[in-house]
Amino acid sequence: MPNSNAKLHSNHRSGREASRRELVSRSLQSAQHCLENQDFGTAYAHYLLVLNLAPELKTTVKETFQFTLFKWAEELDSLARIQDLFNCYEQALELYPNDEVICNSMGEHLFRMGFRDEAAGYFHKAVKLNPDFADAKENFYRVANWLVERWHFIMLNDAKRNLTYLKAIENAVHSGSKSVLDIGTGTGILSMFAKKAGASFVYACELSKTMYELARDVVAANNMEREIKLLHLKSLDIEIPKHIPERVSLVVTETVDAGLFGEGIVESLIHAWEHLLLQPK
């Protein structure tokens, strides 16, 4: 009886495997037929089925799947079916999470729709995946020109300003401020000043996705990625202990400018600082 049961199970598994192969084969044929008739939406659906049933075919059908996705996305875009378009890219990136071509294409759609910060994230990921991918590099530099304000370059080249900040942070840290929060970190320069000054714990928040990614690269290039915790958040959204373990003893920021006086930001910053700073004893 045991041998008989084992054989029955084996036959059952063989039957399921044969059915799977047959369904995959038919779906591939149907997808090809749909492509020949420029029915990209149906072809895309067939390829999704194939890739879910037969992940081992990912490499084999990759280029054809990309072509189908991009053609179907163009149709969805022309029909203003934006959510469907994004859903397709999300499905594709679940199947090919490290595909620089799909990431770059997603970024291009986002950029055309005005989502420049989000587009920069996908272009950046594509370049990280393949540093030699010329289209992604060009796209990333183009969107960076939109998102990185010109004053960043002026400030970073202002030696007197940087030295003043460095000395002020060193004085505060040497006076006992060992945990630091950098609000609106930008390139991360003030956070790195704090760490070099000897701060035990340094946290930095940045709302802009592009500047957040840039700060990560700058911090990593200076071998401080394990010493500075970067948060892609507004300062008002930081929660203790969810994002940082406890209140900090020093807040550094360079978000103060003339724009404050008409925007009501002063009150917001004061509220954030009071919430995140250690209270004096």
Side-chain angles (χ1 to χ4, degrees):
M1 286 295 292
N3 289 337
S4 181
N5 287 335
K7 185 176 181 180
L8 186 63
H9 285 301
S10 177
N11 290 338
H12 181 63
R13 284 196 301 270
S14 298
R16 283 192 303 177
E17 178 60 21
S19 297
R20 183 187 73 92
R21 288 198 300 266
E22 177 66 19
L23 182 54
V24 168
S25 177
R26 288 187 178 183
S27 294
L28 283 172
Q29 292 174 9
S30 296
Q32 188 59 43
H33 179 73
C34 290
L35 285 179
E36 292 170 358
N37 290 283
Q38 298 189 349
D39 183 359
F40 300 113
T42 306
Y44 175 77
H46 280 298
Y47 277 119
L48 280 184
L49 178 61
V50 167
L51 290 167
N52 279 287
L53 287 174
E56 67 274 13
L57 294 178
K58 282 184 178 181
T59 303
T60 304
V61 303
K62 180 179 177 179
E63 290 187 8
T64 311
F65 175 76
Q66 288 176 343
F67 172 80
T68 306
L69 168 66
F70 300 155
K71 286 295 185 180
W72 179 224
E74 287 176 8
E75 284 192 24
L76 292 173
D77 193 7
S78 68
L79 295 169
R81 291 172 56 183
I82 306 305
Q83 190 56 56
D84 289 335
L85 185 153
F86 288 154
N87 288 342
C88 286
Y89 274 96
E90 288 175 3
Q91 292 167 338
L93 287 169
E94 285 180 8
L95 292 166
Y96 296 96
N98 296 319
D99 189 293
E100 70 273 20
V101 178
I102 295 177
C103 286
N104 182 64
S105 180
M106 176 66 156
E108 289 175 339
H109 281 287
L110 286 165
F111 184 80
R112 284 195 295 270
M113 294 173 191
F115 300 108
R116 292 170 182 160
D117 216 15
E118 293 82 353
Y122 281 97
F123 294 145
H124 183 264
K125 182 178 179 180
V127 173
K128 282 285 188 181
L129 290 167
N130 182 359
D132 297 323
F133 189 6
D135 287 350
K137 287 169 67 174
E138 182 180 345
N139 284 332
F140 181 68
Y141 294 144
R142 178 176 55 161
V143 75
N145 283 330
W146 286 91
L147 295 172
V148 179
E149 300 288 351
R150 298 297 96 190
W151 45 261
H152 278 290
F153 301 100
I154 297 172
M155 290 193 306
L156 289 171
N157 286 284
D158 187 338
K160 183 178 180 180
R161 160 201 167 276
N162 294 336
L163 184 60
T164 301
Y165 264 99
L166 175 60
K167 288 182 176 179
I169 291 171
E170 285 178 341
N171 288 337
V173 172
H174 295 164
S175 297
S177 297
K178 295 300 184 182
S179 57
V180 181
L181 172 65
D182 179 7
I183 295 179
T185 192
T187 59
I189 186 171
L190 300 187
S191 295
M192 291 187 291
F193 283 171
K195 194 62 195 177
K196 286 184 177 180
S200 301
F201 306 99
V202 180
Y203 312 97
C205 63
E206 175 57 54
L207 180 59
S208 165
K209 178 69 173 175
T210 301
M211 294 308 301
Y212 166 75
E213 295 289 354
L214 178 59
R216 288 182 61 185
D217 285 347
V218 172
V219 168
N222 285 273
N223 299 314
M224 293 186 181
E225 65 269 30
R226 294 183 179 180
E227 301 175 312
I228 298 173
K229 182 177 181 180
L230 288 163
L231 303 166
H232 182 215
L233 288 170
K234 290 171 61 176
S235 59
L236 291 175
D237 292 335
I238 295 176
E239 298 179 17
I240 300 170
K242 180 179 179 180
H243 301 114
I244 60 177
E246 58 186 4
R247 291 187 175 190
V248 298
S249 52
L250 175 66
V251 168
V252 296
T253 186
E254 199 169 18
T255 57
V256 181
D257 65 11
L260 288 170
F261 299 104
E263 299 295 334
I265 301 176
V266 172
E267 292 80 1
S268 297
L269 281 174
I270 291 173
H271 174 77
W273 293 348
E274 288 177 345
H275 173 64
L276 297 167
L277 275 169
L278 286 168
Q279 297 301 309
K281 296 181 179 179

